Amino acid sequence: MLNVHNLSVSFGGEYLFEEISFRLNAGNRVGLVGKNGAGKSTLLKLLNKDMPLDTGVIAVEKDIKIGFLRQDIDFVEGRSVLEEAYQAFEEIKALELKLDEINHQLAERTDYESDSYSQLIVDLSDITHHYEILGGYNYQGETEKILQGLGFRREDFDKKTETFSGGWRMRIELAKLLLQTNDVLLLDEPTNHLDIESIIWFEQFLNNYTGAVVIVSHDKMFLDNVTNRTIEISLGRIYDYNKPYTEYLVLRNEIKQQQVNAQKNQEKEIQQAERLIEKFRAKSTKASMAQSLIKKLDKIERIEVDEDDNSVMSLRFPISVTPGKVVVEIEELSKAYGNNLVLNDINLLIERDSKTAFVGQNGQGKSTLAKIIVGDLEHEGHLKLGHNVQIGYFAQNQAEYLDGNKTILDTMIDAANEKNRSKVRDILGSFLFRGDEVDKYVKVLSGGERNRLALAKMLLQPFNVLVMDEPTNHLDIKSKNVLKQACLNFEGTLILVSHDRDFLQGLTNKVYEFKDQKIREYLGDVDYYLEQRKVEDFRAIEKKQAVATSKEKPKASNSFQDQKKLKSLKNQLSSVESKIGTLENEIKNIDHELLVDYDATIAKPNFFDGYQAKKKELETLMQKWETLTMEIEELG
């Protein structure tokens, strides 16, 4: 389908890759991997002929159609979702215009016996036949089917594309690619703005796709689930094996070990030959044997071991003072953008040192709540930050806040203070910005390099609560692993908004799913959440089948009200339990003080009044806890 031969590309005199060759065949699902700045996106642009070649050849079979999903999507404003999706059918839309023009002429003209009128009839027949072959009578229904499969509702079809978030616009672009029946798909980080459910759907689609696919992605699990071949760009070379990413890593390590062993054996043979040459040179009778050995050595092709680019950033988030036990307390919080209600009556308690993930479809309020917690958005309801809470925030578009006209070094110096300004170069070095690289302007950096710089800036200020919104976007796999380890080692409270399953695995102990303006708690990591969601969906299907069989109308409103009440009761119970724990600790500390120094303790002003008030409050809370527990058991 597509053949690449001796392709080379250089920037500023340095090769991104040199004389690389590979072939794409139908059914190939290639994971194109490598560190940030290795040239992955550049290679996709070359395959799509968006850039001129330096040297080499890219040969494409005749009539092969290539679809390219770029990182940055640029839609024409004013089009609805349906209108934008219909752009996939350029030829059909052009034929529709011709058919309209011919029908308009036939309606107006009266020269029925003329040759030109007869030709219009022939043209109408030919174009109609061609229109039918291209699927002109089916494309609208197919478009609606694909959009609904990607999560759009019918009421969304007529909304303008600019009213949707980046993730939803990515889905529209995906829909266009799927509707175009391309032979080759070039996908540049397609999962960056997709939620977990959309990624799972997309995996299923790609596994059934018969054409060739080349995917640039840093989502290891997505690559393992979808690809059957891996091409890695490293130090200007490519490594190409018919294995998904994780299997490729194992195979490449085995091959490298074989190279090391073969190189050692060859070195022994060479050293033995060199000793014989030295020995024979001293004897005139064996000089010819020495010359023969020298010629043999010259002909030996020396075994080389593949070089690895093992450079990774070093990251450890600074921790500040210890905050209070409750870090964030939210009660009856709501947020609307105009008439669009995103969050409604949210109750949430985040405790010190907890590790929490926010998941759910795009546009359900995950980033909105993160921004509210850090104080970037106004809201209705109550939000209280705990004692000594100091927040570090990494926004989803953090890299966009960087000034493109500043150098890397100036960006850091301007963000530093007197205490850490002298450490700026060391910090940059740990993020792989070394030597003259610190003088590069931000505007020439790749997406991953900008994210690394944004992370480096975070190390200039200590914090005890870390809120990160899609931090792995654009980071290469090695950098993501470093970031994950830094989050695991972080001794403060962590709140993560992410769709990256591999990154979230084992990282959090609590998941909140955002859906229909509400949140739902899952006490486990992302694997537990996905397991529960699949079970829940299966049960929902069974319920629908049972209802269809019995022809009974479901009592949806009662069920919804029960679920709403149950969720409210659980949130109240969680808050009560937290308060009980705090009071029990306070009473325990007072009891200890009484044991250690009774006289000094009771001498404190209003000691007994305060002590009895705490005990009475604890008793009231325990009664409330019992009442809430009974109500939850009755409902659940």
Side-chain angles (χ1 to χ4, degrees):
M1 296 181 80
L2 191 149
N3 192 31
V4 176
H5 183 66
N6 287 346
L7 181 65
S8 299
V9 171
S10 62
F11 288 103
E14 291 186 12
Y15 280 102
L16 270 179
F17 35 81
E18 187 174 9
E19 295 187 352
I20 64 171
S21 299
F22 61 91
R23 180 176 176 80
L24 281 182
N25 297 310
N28 285 163
R29 297 193 298 275
V30 180
L32 184 60
V33 299
K35 64 176 287 187
N36 294 132
K40 304 182 296 296
S41 296
T42 299
L43 182 55
L44 289 192
K45 290 174 183 175
L46 290 167
L47 295 178
N48 198 52
K49 298 184 179 179
D50 285 1
M51 289 175 61
L53 309 177
D54 283 1
T55 59
V57 176
I58 298 178
V60 182
E61 288 181 14
K62 188 178 179 182
D63 297 328
I64 290 294
K65 292 171 66 178
I66 297 176
F68 186 17
L69 181 71
R70 296 170 172 81
Q71 285 185 34
D72 303 314
I73 303 169
D74 187 20
F75 285 165
V76 175
E77 287 195 8
R79 285 180 185 158
S80 68
V81 171
L82 268 181
E83 288 170 341
E84 185 62 46
Y86 288 158
Q87 300 306 306
F89 304 99
E90 292 182 16
E91 193 172 357
I92 287 177
K93 299 300 285 182
L95 290 177
E96 282 182 343
L97 289 175
K98 288 182 180 178
L99 288 172
D100 285 344
E101 185 181 340
I102 291 171
N103 283 317
H104 181 69
Q105 289 188 47
L106 290 174
E108 287 190 340
R109 292 175 60 167
T110 56
D111 53 335
Y112 308 123
E113 304 299 327
S114 67
D115 292 340
S116 59
Y117 191 91
S118 298
Q119 186 59 48
L120 281 177
I121 299 294
V122 172
D123 291 345
L124 179 64
S125 177
D126 290 344
I127 294 172
T128 300
H129 181 63
H130 190 197
Y131 182 77
E132 187 176 351
I133 289 173
L134 291 176
Y137 296 115
N138 302 321
Y139 80 93
Q140 292 177 334
E142 189 65 22
T143 300
E144 293 182 11
K145 178 182 169 184
I146 292 289
L147 286 172
Q148 286 179 311
L150 284 167
F152 288 95
R153 297 167 298 182
R154 284 194 173 276
E155 52 264 36
D156 296 327
F157 290 170
D158 294 324
K159 293 179 182 177
K160 303 301 180 186
T161 58
E162 56 265 28
T163 64
F164 289 88
S165 65
W168 286 99
R169 282 181 291 189
M170 176 70 79
R171 294 186 206 200
I172 300 171
E173 191 67 15
L174 265 178
K176 286 161 63 178
L177 283 180
L178 307 189
L179 290 163
Q180 284 170 352
T181 61
N182 293 294
D183 303 293
V184 179
L185 288 178
L186 307 176
L187 307 173
D188 197 354
E189 300 195 29
T191 64
N192 260 6
H193 301 289
L194 295 181
D195 53 64
I196 292 172
E197 289 184 14
S198 302
I199 291 171
I200 292 171
W201 181 91
F202 193 39
E203 285 175 355
Q204 292 169 346
F205 169 82
L206 290 176
N207 283 323
N208 294 320
Y209 181 68
T210 56
V213 189
V214 182
I215 306 165
V216 172
S217 178
H218 303 309
D219 186 333
K220 188 171 72 174
M221 188 174 290
F222 176 71
L223 289 174
D224 282 343
N225 289 344
V226 167
T227 62
N228 53 23
R229 179 178 171 189
T230 300
I231 296 178
E232 180 179 9
I233 303 176
S234 178
L235 300 173
R237 296 181 60 185
I238 65 165
Y239 300 88
D240 185 357
Y241 294 96
N242 291 322
K243 299 284 184 183
Y245 181 72
T246 300
E247 291 181 33
Y248 155 74
L249 288 180
V250 174
L251 181 61
R252 190 176 166 199
N253 285 334
E254 290 175 356
I255 291 171
K256 186 177 177 182
Q257 190 58 50
Q258 290 171 4
Q259 290 176 336
V260 170
N261 295 336
Q263 189 184 58
K264 286 179 181 177
N265 292 332
Q266 189 184 63
E267 282 297 321
K268 287 179 183 177
E269 292 175 9
I270 291 170
Q271 288 170 9
Q272 176 67 17
E274 287 174 341
R275 282 195 295 270
L276 288 172
I277 290 168
E278 288 301 316
K279 187 177 178 181
F280 292 159
R281 271 178 175 166
K283 298 178 181 180
S284 58
T285 56
K286 295 190 177 179
S288 60
M289 291 180 66
Q291 288 299 317
S292 177
L293 283 170
I294 290 170
K295 288 179 181 178
K296 187 178 177 181
L297 272 183
D298 289 341
K299 290 179 181 178
I300 289 177
E301 189 173 335
R302 304 296 172 106
I303 295 172
E304 293 183 0
V305 178
D306 292 337
E307 286 185 71
D308 284 334
D309 190 349
N310 291 318
S311 55
V312 293
M313 64 180 181
S314 174
L315 178 57
R316 191 172 186 90
F317 293 115
I319 192 77
S320 62
V321 296
T322 302
K325 184 178 180 182
V326 176
V327 171
V328 180
E329 188 173 3
I330 293 173
E331 293 181 351
E332 299 176 353
L333 183 144
S334 298
K335 175 63 183 177
Y337 295 97
N339 294 325
N340 183 21
L341 184 62
V342 179
L343 298 170
N344 184 28
D345 196 24
I346 300 297
N347 294 287
L348 177 65
L349 193 75
I350 296 177
E351 296 184 333
R352 182 180 62 221
D353 300 338
S354 60
K355 303 288 189 285
T356 304
F358 289 173
V359 303
Q361 287 188 335
N362 293 54
Q364 293 292 331
K366 306 183 301 294
S367 298
T368 295
L369 187 58
K371 290 175 182 176
I372 289 171
I373 289 172
V374 302
D376 279 3
L377 284 178
E378 297 292 329
H379 59 89
E380 293 182 5
H382 306 285
L383 183 146
K384 181 182 176 183
L385 297 181
H387 178 64
N388 274 341
V389 166
Q390 297 174 358
I391 297 179
Y393 178 46
F394 186 93
Q396 185 175 151
N397 57 342
Q398 188 75 33
E400 294 177 14
Y401 292 112
L402 301 173
D403 188 342
N405 295 316
K406 285 184 180 179
T407 65
I408 294 171
L409 183 60
D410 288 341
T411 299
M412 290 290 286
I413 289 174
D414 291 348
N417 54 41
E418 291 182 4
K419 291 182 180 179
N420 56 29
R421 194 164 285 123
S422 60
K423 298 179 182 177
V424 161
R425 281 187 177 271
D426 291 337
I427 293 172
L428 285 173
S430 69
F431 280 79
L432 308 182
F433 297 114
R434 295 164 184 155
D436 294 339
E437 286 188 342
V438 300
D439 296 321
K440 281 184 179 179
Y441 282 95
V442 172
K443 61 187 174 186
V444 303
L445 301 179
S446 69
E449 288 169 328
R450 290 190 187 199
N451 265 23
R452 289 211 313 267
L453 179 56
L455 284 168
K457 273 185 71 179
M458 293 190 71
L459 269 62
L460 297 172
Q461 300 294 334
F463 41 80
N464 51 34
V465 177
L466 178 56
V467 180
M468 305 191 87
D469 191 356
E470 302 290 5
T472 61
N473 282 358
H474 306 296
L475 286 183
D476 59 60
I477 291 171
K478 289 180 180 178
S479 297
K480 275 170 55 176
N481 291 338
V482 172
L483 176 59
K484 181 172 182 176
Q485 192 58 49
C487 289
L488 284 168
N489 294 335
F490 181 57
E491 296 174 356
T493 306
L494 183 66
I495 301 172
L496 280 172
V497 179
S498 181
H499 63 265
D500 191 324
R501 294 159 294 169
D502 181 60
F503 180 71
L504 287 176
Q505 272 183 326
L507 186 52
T508 62
N509 49 33
K510 192 178 289 185
V511 172
Y512 284 100
E513 181 189 34
F514 286 65
K515 192 173 184 180
D516 299 329
Q517 305 161 2
K518 300 291 184 180
I519 61 174
R520 179 175 179 180
E521 181 183 71
Y522 294 82
L523 296 175
D525 73 348
V526 70
D527 283 343
Y528 175 78
Y529 157 72
L530 285 174
E531 180 186 328
Q532 294 299 306
R533 286 289 280 113
K534 287 177 183 176
V535 169
E536 181 183 289
D537 288 346
F538 184 71
R539 285 178 180 169
I541 291 168
E542 285 187 333
K543 285 177 184 176
K544 286 180 182 176
Q545 289 173 341
V547 168
T549 304
S550 63
K551 295 183 180 180
E552 291 179 1
K553 292 184 179 181
K555 298 177 182 179
S557 59
N558 290 341
S559 174
F560 175 78
Q561 291 299 328
D562 288 346
Q563 289 296 321
K564 184 177 180 181
K565 186 177 180 181
L566 185 63
K567 190 176 290 186
S568 175
L569 289 170
K570 284 184 176 180
N571 286 329
Q572 290 178 53
L573 183 67
S574 177
S575 178
V576 167
E577 286 175 342
S578 177
K579 290 174 182 177
I580 287 172
T582 302
L583 272 174
E584 285 178 336
N585 283 333
E586 289 174 0
I587 292 169
K588 183 180 176 182
N589 290 335
I590 294 171
D591 289 339
H592 180 71
E593 289 174 11
L594 285 168
L595 283 171
V596 173
D597 193 343
Y598 179 85
D599 292 330
T601 304
I602 64 171
K604 293 178 181 177
N606 302 319
F607 167 74
F608 280 108
D609 290 341
Y611 186 43
Q612 290 302 320
K614 286 182 186 295
K615 285 196 167 187
K616 190 173 181 181
E617 185 182 356
L618 179 60
E619 188 179 335
T620 303
L621 285 170
M622 289 300 291
Q623 290 173 353
K624 189 173 182 181
W625 182 87
E626 288 178 9
T627 304
L628 288 168
T629 304
M630 288 176 66
E631 288 183 44
I632 288 170
E633 286 176 357
E634 287 174 7
L635 279 173

